[in-house]
Amino acid sequence: MSTDPFRHVDAAVFDAVRAHARTGDERRADAEARALLGFLAEPGDGVLGRAVAAAGARAVAGLVAGGAPASALAEVLGRDGETATLQSAVQALGRWRPRLDDEAFARSLVQAARVGARLLVPGDPEWPWRIDDLGAAAPVSLWVRGRPEALAEGQATISLVGARAATGYGQHVTAEASAGLVDRGFAIVSGGAYGIDGTAHRAALASDGTTVAFLAGGIDRYYPSGHEALLSRIAETGAVYSEVACGTAPSKWRFLMRNRLIAAAGDATVVLEAGLRSGSLNTATHATELGRPLGAVPGPVTSPASAGCHRLFRERDAICVVDAAQMAELASGLGAAIGGASPSGGRVSTSAPVEPSHDGLRVLDALSTRAARGVDDLARRSGMSPGHVMSTLAELEVEGHARRDTGGLWTRRIRRR
């Protein structure tokens, strides 16, 4: 492998997969580096995420491809204040460097261009911003077929997941819910699999709504093959995403890591039908770890196909939802109105949402549903002191009007019924 991994890449090919993006040498170099890192690392590699956050994608790609010693990577990892051992750096380079292959990397880009896939990187207007909540485990880049802007800011989303071996009951509830959520302005997020996923996608398409699918393998070959026509239809009006390079085969590990993207991409996650061993329970776990509202649909107590949903009520404090209206309330931060346990496990009031105070309205006017803003910016926009803004934001968060991201920035919640 040369120190220039783009030696075999036709510039026109890379321009094709970045045709939607803003131009500029710095942006291009960053995207090139992220494409390479996404080719080398498995999904959810937290060491890679920490290194990129500390030094930037270009520096990390140069370190890996240029043969720098593990001590150089360890130094980069130590910049975030967390413990970084030489052993962890050695292990990381041991994972990434065996995959350094100029020609294989070039082939993956050619294949992406052939199928019309686009490369998205953080900072692009079309980047699905919710997945940044994954922190160091967030993708360094994403491949997309369809409309790159399908999950851009301002679009309310909900993740609908469930078992592949769905019953008629599960499929009926899913179809009704998906169509009803589309009518309420939600984009439907799922995994493109057989059963509940496929039903959710089809119902959204039948209602002329937007639906997106996250795949566990490269998007040059749709998987499962029996859903090739469905995934092609999804790409016509929505989008199909993957964080792995074209040519990558789906695997059990990649399915499990794919599930974190489904959970992160939705304002809430709802499990509609699931057995005790369903992979959708893994998606539910990711949702609760991210602090996303989690809902589940009850089924007959005698049905093994709903045993996983009932387990979520017991062990994950999932909120019971039975129709599109309740799911929309859950995704809008109004889960308390449904009556029961909050996603954090406590009991909550079933009364109507509290209207903001006079000061709350001033801060709400300064908040945006699209752009995350800091306390100082909000103080300037509202004409209030930073301390007063901070205390008011705490009230708005409790009342479900505002939310804070992992970086301490604030956005206004989209409230839908």
Side-chain angles (χ1 to χ4, degrees):
M1 179 76 187
S2 71
T3 57
D4 178 14
F6 273 77
R7 181 166 58 94
H8 292 284
V9 176
D10 187 328
V13 170
F14 194 76
D15 288 342
V17 299
R18 287 287 289 164
H20 66 292
R22 293 173 293 189
T23 58
D25 291 343
E26 187 173 342
R27 290 284 299 167
R28 179 189 176 92
D30 176 74
E32 289 177 345
R34 289 177 179 273
L36 173 64
L37 294 172
F39 176 80
L40 299 178
E42 280 294 311
D45 192 321
V47 174
L48 178 64
R50 288 176 56 196
V52 170
R58 294 173 63 184
V60 176
L63 184 155
V64 176
S71 58
L73 177 60
E75 187 277 327
V76 167
L77 293 171
R79 295 179 191 176
D80 61 8
E82 295 186 23
T83 302
T85 65
L86 182 61
Q87 182 182 10
S88 65
V90 169
Q91 291 173 343
L93 292 175
R95 293 194 298 270
W96 307 333
R97 281 186 173 152
R99 294 183 172 183
L100 285 167
D101 185 329
D102 287 345
E103 294 183 358
F105 178 49
R107 286 195 300 271
S108 75
L109 295 179
V110 169
Q111 183 67 357
R114 188 185 70 80
V115 299
R118 304 287 185 86
L119 177 69
L120 294 179
V121 300
D124 288 342
E126 304 88 354
W127 181 257
W129 54 278
R130 291 174 180 85
I131 66 174
D132 290 337
D133 288 350
L134 290 165
V140 294
S141 61
L142 281 174
W143 290 99
V144 59
R145 289 174 69 176
R147 294 193 301 113
E149 70 280 6
L151 289 181
E153 293 185 38
Q155 173 64 64
T157 60
I158 188 165
S159 300
L160 301 184
V161 296
R164 288 175 173 80
T167 67
Y169 164 80
Q171 292 175 330
H172 173 76
V173 173
T174 300
E176 292 290 317
S178 181
L181 287 162
V182 164
D183 290 343
R184 289 165 171 81
F186 284 87
I188 306 301
V189 180
S190 199
Y194 296 128
I196 297 299
D197 289 15
T199 301
H201 289 307
R202 290 190 184 91
L205 291 169
S207 299
D208 296 322
T210 296
T211 184
V212 304
F214 283 89
L215 303 188
I219 58 174
D220 55 321
R221 181 175 296 178
Y222 286 146
Y223 183 90
S225 58
H227 272 180
E228 183 172 356
L230 172 61
L231 291 166
S232 297
R233 288 179 59 206
I234 291 172
E236 290 175 4
T237 57
V240 179
Y241 295 90
S242 177
E243 65 184 305
V244 298
C246 287
T248 304
S251 64
K252 183 175 181 179
W253 165 256
R254 292 173 186 145
F255 276 110
L256 292 174
M257 296 310 294
R258 178 279 309 267
N259 289 345
R260 83 193 195 287
L261 300 181
I262 296 174
D267 291 323
T269 292
V270 176
V271 182
L272 292 113
E273 187 176 51
L276 288 176
R277 298 178 61 85
S278 171
S280 59
L281 301 186
N282 173 255
T283 308
T285 297
H286 285 299
T288 56
E289 290 174 348
L290 287 163
R292 297 286 197 271
L294 174 64
V297 175
V301 296
T302 55
S303 172
S306 290
C309 292
H310 301 156
R311 180 179 179 181
L312 292 176
F313 295 138
R314 296 195 314 272
E315 299 179 7
R316 291 288 178 181
D317 290 315
I319 293 177
C320 177
V321 289
V322 300
D323 56 26
Q326 293 186 354
M327 295 176 195
E329 288 180 346
L330 180 73
S332 302
L334 304 178
I338 300 172
S342 69
S344 61
R347 300 300 297 181
V348 294
S349 169
T350 58
S351 60
V354 179
E355 291 301 315
S357 64
H358 175 73
D359 289 338
L361 288 174
R362 289 176 62 181
V363 175
L364 275 179
D365 286 341
L367 287 167
S368 169
T369 58
R370 295 171 177 265
R373 293 170 178 164
V375 172
D376 290 341
D377 185 17
L378 294 172
R380 180 180 58 80
R381 292 173 182 271
S382 65
M384 297 164 57
S385 69
H388 196 178
V389 168
M390 195 66 214
S391 62
T392 305
L393 283 169
E395 296 174 4
L396 293 174
E397 184 178 29
V398 170
E399 294 166 0
H401 297 291
R403 78 171 110 205
R404 176 172 51 185
D405 64 23
T406 54
L409 300 180
W410 295 82
T411 52
R412 182 171 181 166
R413 282 185 177 275
I414 300 174
R415 307 192 66 165
R416 299 177 183 271
R417 288 188 180 273

